[in-house]
């Protein structure tokens, strides 16, 4: 059992066992002695400690894990021993550089504030892609002008999202160089040499005037103002992304466990998914693919919001990112394949047609037509989708019942009654569609002079939803009288032509006779009234007869022809004339003053 020690390394707390602590302490003391007489030794040591802390943090699975001698040895192997190099590098200019024990590092994207014009975004991107920053800046200008200024907003977002390279380790990461003791020492010395050169060549008088006039450059001031507003916008966008992604993830999790684990997609004995699925894919597989397809983008949306709000948020790692991306691509491809199969299962349309002939013993009798509803199926329903309901027959077997039935009345070419039933359905091929249509059940009866037509169809549950429908064509001999005994619930599905412009929903109020070309002639419809009126003048022609009334400039006239006879009354400037013909004879009365 080893004793553990708490250490603070680059402001990060670590738990380390005593043996590992002693080894790390001796290592740091040795490094410190190596840089004792080196310019910028404090900065070099701070960067070395920061790099060691970063390596420890990467190797720990959680914050409670204790650092052992194994982790210390691995870090020392990466950083290198002080005796592996000499501080005074000028002595060994011709000595070949030893190969680093750490594999070549992948570049990290930072803003290079040392080579910035505005915020160092272009310089950082240039380091990352290996391109001179001047070309990146030219591209920014071209894209900004070409997009009407929208790329300036993108630049601002990158300004917020990309961190600046502050420490020596970050600057080495930005260039893809190994972050070890040798490179850290070299980078710090380069910084001091650059500062020394600037001090030697500085124009003190010019600098003094500049300090007196302004302590900041124009771009620094403008950058701080822009940065302030972009940070506010960035925080707002981050919060919005977190809320959107988090709420979506919660909804997806609730939906997944509700529909998948607890299987509440079953409404009693009904499985809705199986009724609409034509691919025979298990529901749990589809549920997993759909969940991953939506949940993974929502997770990354929330993660992006967290990255915007929390600058030092630990990355989930490249392995996790690529794993989630792979799962999302697999889910997308699977859903696209299933959707294609689902569409293909209903891509074709075909019909199954039956035609029967009937002869009435007394063709002069009126044919009574009645519509039979599916009230029984509706009362037994467990679910309805549009015109289709899921119900049970008298034997307790589950069936599908639909009101998608239309009735067409036309003139027969002979003296027989023809009833044609056309059943239609979708399928993955013409034979499959025709087979599905043949499985549709539709009944009607003709007993005596009464024709009963079902206003619904049925099919077995295993036939699923395939847009099943029925079209009924009733061909009646010319001159046959017919009467609609009742109206169907879907009266708009009755297709008739008549000579009285009666709406299909009102044809059951009257008695009809079949005419030419499927036109029904009404036997008891009310006569139409023709009425023309203007002020006191009018002309009326209706079932009561003809009524004409004229009143203009003192001249009056009236002609009325109805069941009581003919009545003519004329008054012209005081001269009147009356002629009346009725059952009592002819009566004439003339008054000419």
């Amino acid at each position: 059992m080893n004793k553990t020690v708490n250490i603070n390394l680059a402001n990060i707390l670590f738990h380390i066992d005593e043996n590992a602590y002693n080894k790390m302490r001796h290592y740091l003391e040795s490094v410190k002695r190596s840089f004792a007489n080196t310019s910028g030794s404090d900065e070099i040591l701070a960067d070395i400690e920061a790099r060691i802390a970063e390596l420890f943090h990467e190797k720990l699975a959680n914050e409670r894990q204790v650092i052992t001698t194994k982790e210390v040895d691995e870090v020392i192997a990466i950083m290198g021993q002080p005796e592996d190099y000499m501080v005074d590098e000028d002595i060994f200019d011709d000595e070949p550089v030893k190969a680093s024990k750490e594999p070549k590092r992948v570049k990290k994207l930072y803003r290079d504030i040392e080579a910035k014009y505005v915020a160092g975004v272009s310089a950082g991107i240039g380091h990352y892609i290996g391109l001179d920053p001047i070309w990146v800046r030219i591209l920014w200008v071209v894209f900004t002008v070409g997009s009407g200024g929208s790329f300036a907003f993108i630049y601002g977002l990158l300004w917020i999202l990309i961190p600046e390279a502050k420490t020596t380790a970050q600057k080495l990461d930005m260039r893809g160089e190994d972050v070890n003791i040798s490179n850290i020492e070299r980078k710090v010395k380069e910084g001091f040499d650059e500062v020394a050169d600037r001090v030697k060549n500085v124009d003190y008088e010019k600098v003094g005037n500049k300090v007196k006039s302004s302590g900041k450059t124009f771009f620094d001031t403008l950058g701080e103002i822009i940065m302030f507003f972009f940070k506010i916008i960035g925080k707002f966008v981050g919060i919005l992304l977190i809320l959107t992604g988090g709420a979506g993830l919660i909804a997806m999790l609730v939906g997944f466990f509700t529909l998948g684990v607890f299987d509440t997609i079953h409404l009693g004995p009904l499985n809705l998914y199986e009724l609409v699925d034509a691919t025979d894919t298990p529901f749990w597989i589809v549920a997993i693919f759909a969940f991953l397809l939506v949940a993974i983008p929502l997770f990354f949306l929330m993660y992006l919001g967290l990255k915007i709000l929390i600058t030092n948020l630990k990355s989930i790692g490249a392995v996790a990112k690529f794993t989630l991306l792979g799962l999302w691509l697999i889910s997308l491809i699977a859903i696209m394949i299933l959707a294609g199969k689902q569409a293909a299962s209903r891509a074709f349309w075909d019909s199954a047609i039956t035609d029967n002939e009937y002869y009435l013993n007394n063709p002069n009798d009126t044919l009574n037509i009645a519509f039979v509803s599916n009230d029984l199926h509706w009362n037994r329903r467990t679910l309805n989708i549009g015109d289709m309901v899921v119900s049970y027959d008298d034997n307790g077997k589950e069936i599908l019942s639909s009101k998608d039935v239309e009735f067409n009345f036309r003139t027969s070419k002979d003296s027989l009654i023809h009833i044609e039933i056309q059943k239609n359905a979708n399928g993955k091929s013409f034979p499959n569609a025709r087979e599905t249509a043949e499985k549709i059940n539709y009944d009607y009866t003709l007993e005596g002079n009464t024709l009963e037509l079902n206003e619904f169809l049925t099919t077995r549950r295993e036939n699923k939803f395939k847009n099943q429908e029925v079209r009924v064509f009733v061909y009646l001999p010319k001159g046959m009288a017919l009467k609609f005994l009742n109206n169907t619930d879907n009266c708009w599905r009755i297709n008739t032509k008549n000579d009285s412009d009666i709406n299909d929903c009102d044809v059951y109020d009257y008695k009809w006779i079949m005419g030419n070309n499927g036109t029904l002639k009404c036997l008891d419809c009310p006569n139409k009234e023709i009425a023309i009126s203007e002020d006191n003048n009018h002309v009326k022609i209706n079932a009561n007869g003809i009524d004409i009334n004229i009143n203009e400039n003192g001249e009056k006239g009236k002609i009325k022809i109805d069941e009581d006879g003919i009545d003519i009354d004329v008054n012209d400037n005081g001269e009147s004339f009356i002629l009346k013909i009725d059952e009592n004879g002819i009566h004439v009365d003339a008054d000419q003053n």
Side-chain angles (χ1 to χ4, degrees):
M1 183 171 60
N2 295 330
K3 179 180 178 182
T4 60
V5 179
N6 294 331
I7 63 173
N8 187 331
L9 200 60
N11 295 324
I12 301 177
L13 182 64
F14 293 99
H15 303 289
I16 185 171
D17 67 36
E18 189 173 14
N19 294 333
Y21 169 74
N22 291 330
K23 192 168 188 176
M24 177 53 64
R25 181 170 58 82
H26 290 311
Y27 175 76
L28 290 176
E29 289 176 354
S30 176
V31 172
K32 186 175 181 180
R33 287 194 300 270
S34 299
F35 293 103
N37 300 319
T38 304
S39 301
S41 60
D42 293 338
E43 183 177 351
I44 294 174
L45 292 174
D47 286 332
I48 291 173
E49 288 190 5
R51 176 56 178 161
I52 293 174
E54 180 184 357
L55 292 173
F56 279 151
H57 194 268
E58 291 177 355
K59 294 180 179 299
L60 296 181
N62 55 69
E63 296 179 355
R64 295 184 179 181
Q65 183 176 346
V66 177
I67 298 172
T68 63
T69 306
K70 177 183 176 182
E71 284 79 25
V72 172
D73 290 338
E74 291 175 354
V75 170
I76 293 175
I78 293 173
M79 298 297 296
Q81 292 287 350
E83 58 268 19
D84 293 338
Y85 63 94
M86 293 296 293
V87 174
D88 190 1
E89 296 176 353
D90 296 336
I91 302 175
F92 302 98
D93 284 341
D94 298 330
E95 183 178 343
V97 180
K98 295 182 180 181
S100 175
K101 297 181 181 180
E102 184 183 13
K104 189 67 175 179
R105 295 176 56 82
V106 178
K107 292 182 181 180
K108 294 184 180 180
L109 184 58
Y110 288 99
R111 288 187 290 113
D112 188 356
I113 57 175
E114 293 180 351
K116 71 175 183 178
Y117 270 93
V118 177
V121 173
S122 298
I125 294 176
H127 290 305
Y128 189 76
I129 63 178
L131 187 66
D132 194 300
I134 186 63
W135 296 110
V136 180
R137 295 186 179 102
I138 292 174
L139 289 176
W140 275 116
V141 174
V142 172
F143 289 146
T144 303
V145 174
S147 63
S150 60
F151 265 77
F153 179 75
I154 297 177
Y155 186 94
L157 288 179
L158 294 178
W159 189 348
I160 296 173
L161 298 177
I162 301 176
E164 65 180 60
K166 295 180 179 179
T167 65
T168 304
Q170 290 173 340
K171 294 174 184 177
L172 292 171
D173 276 336
M174 181 174 63
R175 291 171 169 81
E177 300 179 17
D178 296 334
V179 186
N180 51 34
I181 294 177
S182 178
N183 285 336
I184 291 175
E185 185 263 346
R186 176 181 56 80
K187 190 65 180 174
V188 172
K189 287 187 65 179
E190 287 177 356
F192 274 92
D193 291 341
E194 183 180 355
V195 171
D197 291 339
R198 290 180 180 179
V199 170
K200 292 177 182 178
N201 301 322
V202 70
D203 187 344
Y204 293 100
E205 182 178 357
K206 184 176 180 181
V207 171
N209 294 332
K210 187 175 181 180
V211 171
K212 292 179 181 178
S213 60
S214 174
K216 295 183 179 179
T217 65
F218 169 77
F219 280 115
D220 286 336
T221 305
L222 180 61
E224 289 183 1
I225 296 174
I226 296 175
M227 193 64 176
F228 172 76
F229 287 105
F230 270 113
K231 282 184 178 179
I232 295 176
I233 297 173
K235 299 299 182 183
F236 175 77
V237 171
I239 294 173
L240 186 63
L241 293 177
I242 292 173
L243 292 177
T244 303
L249 273 178
I250 293 173
M252 288 298 299
L253 288 171
V254 171
F256 179 75
F257 283 99
T258 301
L259 298 180
V261 177
F262 298 106
D263 207 20
T264 54
I265 195 68
H266 291 77
L267 304 177
L270 168 69
N271 188 318
L272 175 61
Y273 168 76
E274 291 182 359
L275 290 175
V276 297
D277 173 58
T279 63
D280 296 325
T281 305
F283 173 74
W284 64 270
I285 294 179
V286 179
I288 291 175
F289 285 144
F291 175 79
L292 294 176
L293 185 65
V294 179
I296 291 176
L298 290 174
F299 169 77
F300 278 109
L301 200 67
M302 184 179 67
Y303 179 71
L304 177 60
L306 290 172
K307 289 285 287 184
I308 293 175
L309 292 181
I310 306 174
T311 56
N312 59 345
L313 180 68
K314 186 177 180 180
S315 174
I316 61 174
V319 175
K321 291 178 182 178
F322 285 109
T323 301
L324 291 176
L325 178 60
L327 290 174
W328 184 82
L329 290 175
I330 293 172
S331 301
L332 176 62
I333 295 172
I335 291 296
M336 291 176 65
I337 293 174
L338 292 176
K341 289 184 177 180
Q342 189 77 4
S345 67
R346 293 173 173 82
F348 296 87
W349 178 265
D350 208 349
S351 304
I353 301 175
T354 59
D355 189 357
N356 295 308
E357 298 178 349
Y358 300 92
Y359 175 77
L360 290 180
N361 294 327
N362 189 355
N364 295 324
D365 288 347
T366 300
L367 178 66
N368 296 314
I369 299 176
F371 299 100
V372 181
S373 68
N374 66 337
D375 291 341
L376 183 61
H377 295 155
W378 184 262
N379 293 333
R380 292 174 177 174
R381 76 187 187 279
T382 57
L383 178 71
N384 65 286
I385 303 177
D387 291 326
M388 186 76 76
V389 298
V390 183
S391 183
Y392 295 91
D393 60 14
D394 294 335
N395 298 322
K397 293 184 178 180
E398 197 171 54
I399 60 172
L400 305 178
S401 178
S402 173
K403 292 184 179 180
D404 195 354
V405 180
E406 289 187 4
F407 306 97
N408 303 271
F409 295 89
R410 298 177 180 177
T411 305
S412 175
K413 295 180 180 180
D414 51 32
S415 60
L416 300 178
I417 298 176
H418 297 265
I419 300 179
E420 178 184 301
I421 307 299
Q422 178 179 312
K423 304 173 184 178
N424 306 317
N426 286 123
K428 60 184 178 181
S429 63
F430 286 116
N432 179 257
R434 186 164 53 253
E435 180 183 359
T436 304
E438 290 172 349
K439 294 178 181 179
I440 297 175
N441 300 317
Y442 180 80
D443 296 324
Y444 67 89
T445 58
L446 177 60
E447 294 183 0
N449 63 336
T450 301
L451 174 62
E452 292 186 347
L453 300 170
N454 286 356
E455 64 173 12
F456 62 93
L457 63 90
T458 60
T459 188
R460 303 309 305 175
R461 176 183 181 275
E462 54 267 21
N463 297 328
K464 303 184 179 183
F465 291 103
K466 294 291 183 68
N467 296 321
Q468 292 92 335
E469 65 177 29
V470 169
R471 300 294 179 257
V472 180
F473 297 89
V474 180
Y475 296 89
L476 302 177
K478 180 182 177 181
M480 173 173 283
L482 62 148
K483 172 71 176 176
F484 296 95
L485 298 183
N486 66 316
N487 192 14
T488 175
D489 291 340
N490 299 319
C491 59
W492 56 274
R493 295 189 182 276
I494 301 176
N495 297 323
T496 62
K497 295 188 295 182
N498 61 79
D499 61 350
S500 302
D501 293 330
I502 300 297
N503 187 282
D504 290 337
C505 292
D506 297 327
V507 293
Y508 70 95
D509 291 331
Y510 308 103
K511 188 175 181 180
W512 305 87
I513 186 171
M514 180 59 71
N516 294 324
N517 301 322
T519 301
L520 299 179
K521 296 182 179 180
C522 188
L523 298 179
D524 55 356
C525 293
N527 295 324
K528 296 181 180 179
E529 176 180 282
I530 300 176
I532 303 174
S533 62
E534 182 178 355
D535 298 332
N536 295 325
N537 304 323
H538 66 258
V539 178
K540 294 182 179 180
I541 303 175
N542 52 33
N544 297 324
I546 301 174
D547 185 4
I548 302 175
N549 187 57
I550 301 173
N551 186 346
E552 184 175 2
N553 298 326
E555 298 178 357
K556 299 180 180 180
K558 180 175 72 172
I559 301 176
K560 188 173 184 181
I561 303 174
D562 55 19
E563 59 183 3
D564 295 330
I566 301 174
D567 187 1
I568 301 175
D569 188 354
V570 179
N571 189 330
D572 183 10
N573 295 324
E575 299 177 359
S576 62
F577 175 81
I578 298 174
L579 172 62
K580 189 172 185 181
I581 303 175
D582 55 19
E583 60 184 2
N584 297 323
I586 301 174
H587 174 69
V588 180
D589 185 4
D591 183 5
Q592 297 183 357
N593 294 328

